[in-house]
Amino acid sequence: MKIARRLAALGLLGYLLLCLLVFGEQRRLLYHPNPEPLALGPSIGATTLALQAADGEKLVAWWLPPPRPEAPVVLYLHGNGANLDNRAARLKALHEDGAGVLALSWRGYGGSSGQPSEAGWKLDAQAAYDWLRAQPVAPKRIVLFGESLGSTQAVMLAAAQPVGALLLDSSFDSALALAGGHYPWLPISWLMRDPHRADLAAPQVAVPVLQVHCAQDPVSPLAHAQALNRLLPNARLQVLQEPCHVPSYAKYRESARAFLREPG
């Protein structure tokens, strides 16, 4: 009995130490920034902007102006890995398809100062939105394009500010729900500091939404996109029948182009 109790105590101690490790290192697990200065903006004709978040962090963004005064303007919110250089081709394609594009480099990514966090990302997204409104770009022309983890911020921003539409690539209900699925043996709801709860904001998003998701997504399973879809009042979910996460933009370019022309 004594040996069994000691083994149980050691197991419990090990579990608690693991929980402490996950709590302390979770942002390293969630965010994978490439902080190197961006290089490919000029190659796609983008102007590099210097924005400032409300807490003083300096943010880099790329600006591709709309080809026509009435054209939609995409506010692109990228995912948790790499930086905007890795999205240069799809940003160029969006512009070629007739939209203006403001692509934000999150804090800690691609030349922007600071360290990533959910609270910080909310400030960053608001700074980019405020810049567009100051140009001025009318809210009905603003299309929020959220990619993977950036999709949660797109949903939350659309619930808080007027926009015209949302385009979501590899979206999900929340980072909390995803983590709970990947690590069911951890008390994720107690540990997670950045839950990115798009599910709480989704019912307040009345504008048209196009979600694109891979049928076999190893990072954010389709069920999480479907859960978000059920919460969005005016959303259509396009499923790509292949294994992928953040598919090539070419896979759904025609759908995105049509959506940008007529979101409803």
Side-chain angles (χ1 to χ4, degrees), residues 46-206:
T47 299
T48 299
L49 304 178
L51 309 181
Q52 182 170 311
D55 62 351
E57 296 294 355
K58 310 296 184 184
L59 309 174
V60 174
W62 285 346
W63 173 235
L64 294 137
R68 305 179 314 280
E70 72 282 4
V73 177
V74 169
L75 173 50
Y76 193 91
L77 304 175
H78 69 76
N80 66 334
N83 61 32
L84 286 181
D85 279 346
N86 298 82
R87 285 89 178 174
R90 65 168 47 194
L91 299 175
K92 181 182 179 183
L94 283 165
H95 192 241
E96 289 173 347
D97 290 344
V101 180
L102 178 64
L104 173 67
S105 183
W106 297 115
R107 60 184 59 204
Y109 291 74
S112 295
S113 67
Q115 297 296 321
S117 68
E118 180 178 357
W121 276 26
K122 287 180 179 178
L123 296 178
D124 298 351
Q126 186 64 51
Y129 177 86
D130 290 344
W131 186 88
L132 280 178
R133 293 290 293 113
Q135 295 319 296
V137 176
K140 66 180 181 180
R141 293 174 53 212
I142 298 175
V143 178
L144 303 182
F145 192 142
E147 171 209 309
S148 191
L149 188 60
S151 71
T152 64
Q153 291 301 315
V155 172
M156 288 187 275
L157 183 60
Q161 299 292 347
V163 298
L166 271 76
L167 207 170
L168 305 177
D169 180 338
S170 305
S171 58
F172 44 86
D173 45 356
S174 71
L176 179 67
L178 271 190
H182 286 299
Y183 309 104
W185 37 272
L186 285 174
I188 293 297
S189 60
W190 293 358
L191 297 175
M192 198 156 191
R193 299 158 70 185
D194 292 354
H196 292 272
R197 297 292 302 271
D199 56 330
L200 298 182
Q204 283 74 55
V205 178

